Amino acid sequence: MENKHLPYMLLLPATIFLCVFFIYPFTLVAWEAFSKDGAFTMEHFQTMTSNWKFEISFWNTLLLAAAVVPIQLALSLLMATMVSKMQKGRDIVLYIWTIPLGISDLAAGIIWLAIFDQSGYLNSMLYGLGVIDQPENFLSYQNKSTIFIAIVLAEIWRATAIMLVILVAGIGLIPKEYYEAAEVFGASNWKRFTKITLPMLKPSLQTALVLRVILAFEVFAVVAALGGTNFPVLMGETYNWQFELQDGNVAAAYALVILAISIVFTLVILRVLRVPKGAQV
Amino acid sequence: MAEIQIKNVAKTFGSYQALHSIDMTISDREFMVLLGASGCGKTTLLRIIAGLETPSVGEVWIGDKRVDHLPPRQRGIAMVFQNYAVFPHLTVFENIAFGLRMNKLDDATIKERVNRTANLMHIEQLLQRYSGQLSGGQRQRVAVARALAMEPDVILMDEPLSNLDALLRLEMRAELKGVLADSNTTTIYVTHDQVEAMSLADRIAVMHEGRIVQANNPVEIYRNPAAHFVGSFIGNPPMNFLNATKGGKGKWNVAGKSFSGPQSGQENLEFAIRPEDVTLNGGGLDAKVRIVEPLGAHNLVTCDVDGSLFRAVIDSDSKVKAGEHISLAPMQDRIRWFDPQTTLAVA
């Protein structure tokens, strides 16, 4: 009797927690997005899509993710491989590389603002070296591409380490014997990376990419600090509608769009990086 | 043509000396077994030949090419690992084809070789499976097939049977011997199992504490151990050793009896005899029987001779019981003598 119920009893706290703090608010938000005066409507979605900023912020968000995530993937793979090959001091290097993770994203945005600002470090340095005659406003609305580059740099600096730590753990789990076998059977360093490391790292790559891509769609504070209103993104618009325009319904619609994109990309990543049945380690 | 020459190879890990100046030549197509207890350096030596470790000093030659500075993939070798190292993310077919693909052979050749080696190892029905769907014995076959498919000059095997259960090990041992004999490769095989070594080897190199103590054919190793260690390591049960004191004119006193032995200037020698080389005849060594173990084919009798442990293998019809005194007569031509200081054999 007791044995039969025990698993459910153990699951209960987490289930209650998820229902109260996730399912319930999610239902409220969904209802808010789809209802007006207690009736179903698509009106808020129409308001959202008819606003000129929706399309821009949608493509900006995707573009940013498309620029940041591949670079971060390549960088974190490179860094993880390097760390895994280190004999001494690997922990120290790992700690240093993960420092940006401990900084809030708004603070990270402000750090990079201090670099790219009109009176920032970059301008001071270029002026001091005589490269420019007067300070340049890199982040003005005329310089959309430099804003984009600044945001990409800040995001890479801030959030590559989250993938790095997952991949370092994943690489550590691959038995050394597979590399030795590959080496004996003729695989060069690069082949060992593509034929052994990458395929055996799939589960970790899945986790790292899903986590990173979802976070990329929620990008907000770094963009707000560096781009302000010159580079609208979905999360920034959500904030705008909720707090500036005081329209919670449209904000809820935005939130659902972000959720939908996240789900779609998660499914794509899980599908692409799936491990065939039987090939699990 | 793949003769392997090891010239003065030594290996230190930090302050620990794993190998002391090893010199060895393994001739083309020879089956050489490196035999020793764990920690004797046999695996280190194999890994140096494979290129997975670099020697601290010395040279390794395969064929007429010096290889100790080359990466493993340029040495013309294939290897079977102790834990098989069958890639879990590849099918059996792709595992066997791995080395062939790395060498950029064309698809037709790859298919032909994979099928041939798979047939040879009787795994042709498993080619589309993954490693996780195979038993230990099947994985072992895949690992061997992967090595054979390379048609290498040299195959290195690191305790390939040690993870199999006893019955499977016996089956695979015989199969390996047949397959490797047909493959025209030079084989170096590492094991701690002396039965495996005896049954497979053309030549056994017995290793102890980072040195090769004796390298010879199995029968010679068994009959004429070059050192005390070899006699005590090879054979189950191992050789019996007793103290001998000089009796003059090539005579030596062992446990109150006199035996003719080497003309040596020393005062003391070690007298050695294999348990099966004694007979239950009168006039032999006086032995007090401690334990009798009937093993079917024969009885193993553990005795006390002159305060030392002494084992004898006698006919299972004998009525010897624990507590009795028996006389064990060594066969004169099977007696061996060792120097107690150097532990080496004395002729």
Side-chain angles (χ1 to χ4, degrees):
Chain A
M1 191 67 185
E2 202 171 281
N3 273 344
K4 213 170 149 191
H5 292 284
L6 189 62
Y8 300 101
M9 298 291 284
L10 292 173
L11 280 172
L12 200 58
T15 313
I16 292 176
F17 183 89
L18 281 176
C19 286
V20 172
F21 292 103
F22 182 74
I23 305 279
Y24 177 63
F26 170 76
T27 325
L28 287 187
V29 169
W31 180 241
E32 212 175 337
F34 283 110
S35 71
K36 189 181 184 185
D37 303 326
F40 177 84
T41 175
M42 289 301 285
E43 193 189 313
H44 309 304
F45 280 89
Q46 274 153 14
T47 315
M48 175 182 77
T49 49
S50 59
N51 188 293
W52 65 276
K53 272 187 152 181
F54 172 75
E55 207 170 316
I56 296 178
S57 58
F58 180 82
W59 288 114
N60 276 349
T61 306
L62 286 191
L63 193 65
L64 199 56
V68 170
V69 175
I71 297 176
Q72 286 187 322
L73 176 64
L75 265 181
S76 55
L77 275 171
L78 179 70
M79 289 155 86
T81 316
M82 281 160 63
V83 168
S84 308
K85 291 236 166 102
M86 286 179 75
Q87 307 282 333
K88 277 183 201 163
R90 109 184 211 146
D91 288 353
I92 289 177
V93 171
L94 208 51
Y95 286 141
I96 291 173
W97 279 350
T98 47
I99 284 175
L101 273 188
I103 296 170
S104 86
D105 44 356
L106 183 59
I110 291 169
I111 290 174
W112 285 83
L113 185 64
I115 296 174
F116 286 107
D117 200 23
Q118 197 156 10
S119 54
Y121 295 113
L122 186 59
N123 267 312
S124 313
M125 201 177 77
L126 291 177
Y127 184 71
L129 290 169
V131 180
I132 50 173
D133 297 329
Q134 58 175 49
E136 178 91 13
N137 190 354
F138 295 113
L139 302 175
S140 85
Y141 69 95
Q142 289 143 315
N143 283 334
K144 286 253 166 83
S145 55
T146 37
I147 294 180
F148 183 72
I149 291 170
I151 294 171
V152 168
L153 280 176
E155 275 295 285
I156 290 170
W157 176 81
R158 186 181 71 79
T160 302
I162 188 121
M163 296 178 82
L164 173 69
V165 287
I166 296 172
L167 297 185
V168 166
I171 288 178
L173 289 176
I174 303 176
K176 225 178 85 199
E177 215 171 27
Y178 292 130
Y179 288 106
E180 295 186 338
E183 206 177 344
V184 166
F185 286 100
S188 59
N189 272 317
W190 175 248
K191 284 283 181 198
R192 289 205 290 281
F193 179 72
T194 57
K195 297 286 176 193
I196 308 296
T197 308
L198 281 187
M200 298 200 70
L201 204 54
K202 268 186 187 172
S204 307
L205 281 172
Q206 269 185 349
T207 313
L209 272 177
V210 167
L211 200 62
R212 187 59 205 108
V213 164
I214 288 176
L215 287 174
F217 292 138
E218 292 171 0
V219 67
F220 174 50
V222 170
V223 175
L226 288 170
T229 52
N230 290 322
F231 195 86
V233 287
L234 288 175
M235 205 62 186
E237 286 312 292
T238 313
Y239 180 87
N240 255 343
W241 282 95
Q242 179 74 35
F243 296 105
E244 306 293 329
L245 302 171
Q246 298 282 330
D247 190 334
N249 299 101
V250 179
Y254 263 105
L256 288 189
V257 169
I258 297 173
L259 178 69
I261 305 175
S262 300
I263 290 174
V264 167
F265 275 84
T266 301
L267 292 177
V268 169
I269 292 167
L270 292 181
R271 175 78 189 158
V272 169
L273 291 178
R274 78 189 186 286
V275 180
K277 199 170 182 282
Q280 273 97 355
V281 183
Chain B
M1 176 64 199
E3 183 187 75
I4 301 170
Q5 282 176 287
I6 320 281
K7 294 179 182 172
N8 191 32
V9 162
K11 176 73 181 176
T12 48
F13 295 105
S15 60
Y16 174 69
Q17 182 133 22
L19 291 175
H20 301 264
S21 70
I22 303 281
D23 277 291
M24 181 165 68
T25 302
I26 299 152
S27 32
D28 187 34
R29 298 181 193 184
E30 187 174 23
F31 197 126
M32 171 64 106
V33 172
L34 303 180
L35 174 66
S38 63
C40 73
K42 57 190 190 300
T43 295
T44 305
L45 182 57
L46 188 81
R47 290 171 60 87
I48 286 174
I49 299 169
L52 297 169
E53 303 276 357
T54 42
S56 303
V57 291
E59 300 173 7
V60 179
W61 292 69
I62 296 178
D64 35 21
K65 196 166 66 164
R66 186 174 169 187
V67 297
D68 47 271
H69 57 285
L70 296 177
R73 64 177 184 278
Q74 288 170 22
R75 296 189 177 198
I77 54 166
M79 190 159 168
V80 179
F81 291 82
Q82 183 171 8
N83 300 317
Y84 318 139
V86 173
F87 304 122
H89 58 286
L90 299 178
T91 58
V92 168
F93 184 97
E94 286 303 322
N95 262 288
I96 300 174
F98 188 87
L100 307 174
R101 290 209 193 282
M102 290 299 129
N103 287 349
K104 301 200 166 58
L105 296 185
D106 62 86
D107 279 348
T109 316
I110 290 176
K111 197 156 183 248
E112 190 266 314
R113 283 224 215 155
V114 171
N115 285 329
R116 184 160 47 79
T117 45
N119 280 329
L120 204 59
M121 297 310 296
H122 309 297
I123 47 172
E124 61 275 13
Q125 73 286 8
L126 305 174
L127 286 174
Q128 295 317 315
R129 298 248 196 116
Y130 288 101
S131 162
Q133 300 162 316
L134 304 179
S135 69
Q138 290 169 331
R139 252 175 257 179
Q140 171 64 57
R141 286 167 184 275
V142 175
V144 175
R146 180 173 61 181
L148 289 174
M150 297 290 285
E151 297 180 359
D153 298 331
V154 178
I155 289 190
L156 306 176
M157 300 198 164
D158 185 7
E159 309 229 10
L161 304 183
S162 64
N163 287 355
L164 300 180
D165 61 59
L167 214 61
L168 210 52
R169 200 180 309 167
L170 209 66
E171 183 190 319
M172 274 303 285
R173 195 172 78 200
E175 212 172 314
L176 265 186
K177 185 165 185 167
V179 166
L180 288 170
D182 294 338
S183 70
N184 290 332
T185 57
T186 310
T187 308
I188 305 182
Y189 185 107
V190 162
T191 183
H192 63 268
D193 181 336
Q194 47 167 307
V195 182
E196 221 169 279
M198 303 281 281
S199 71
L200 288 170
D202 294 327
R203 206 147 57 99
I204 298 176
V206 181
M207 293 187 67
H208 183 50
E209 291 175 346
R211 290 188 173 82
I212 292 178
V213 190
Q214 187 175 11
N216 215 322
N217 67 62
V219 175
E220 191 64 19
I221 296 247
Y222 189 80
R223 282 276 169 253
N224 297 311
H228 177 107
F229 172 78
V230 180
S232 67
F233 185 72
I234 306 279
N236 185 19
M239 262 185 158
N240 295 302
F241 296 93
L242 293 170
N243 282 326
T245 51
K246 195 166 190 164
K249 290 182 185 164
K251 292 281 177 192
W252 296 84
N253 297 319
V254 179
K257 293 280 178 297
S258 181
F259 294 93
S260 47
Q263 305 275 357
S264 165
Q266 270 145 311
E267 289 303 309
N268 289 296
L269 282 182
E270 251 182 335
F271 162 98
I273 187 82
R274 292 224 170 257
E276 65 273 25
D277 294 339
V278 292
T279 50
L280 270 177
N281 289 333
L285 300 163
D286 176 51
K288 183 168 194 273
V289 178
R290 296 239 172 261
I291 304 160
V292 179
E293 295 168 79
L295 299 175
H298 53 253
N299 286 359
L300 176 60
V301 185
T302 306
C303 320
D304 182 339
V305 173
D306 195 24
S308 300
L309 184 77
F310 194 103
R311 292 194 189 86
V313 169
I314 59 174
D315 198 281
S316 44
D317 289 339
S318 88
K319 301 280 183 283
V320 170
K321 286 192 182 59
E324 287 179 0
H325 280 267
I326 54 175
S327 165
L328 295 169
M331 294 151 75
Q332 180 61 40
D333 60 332
R334 295 283 169 86
I335 298 172
R336 299 291 175 264
W337 304 89
F338 295 96
D339 183 324
Q341 266 82 52
T342 64
T343 79
L344 297 178
V346 181

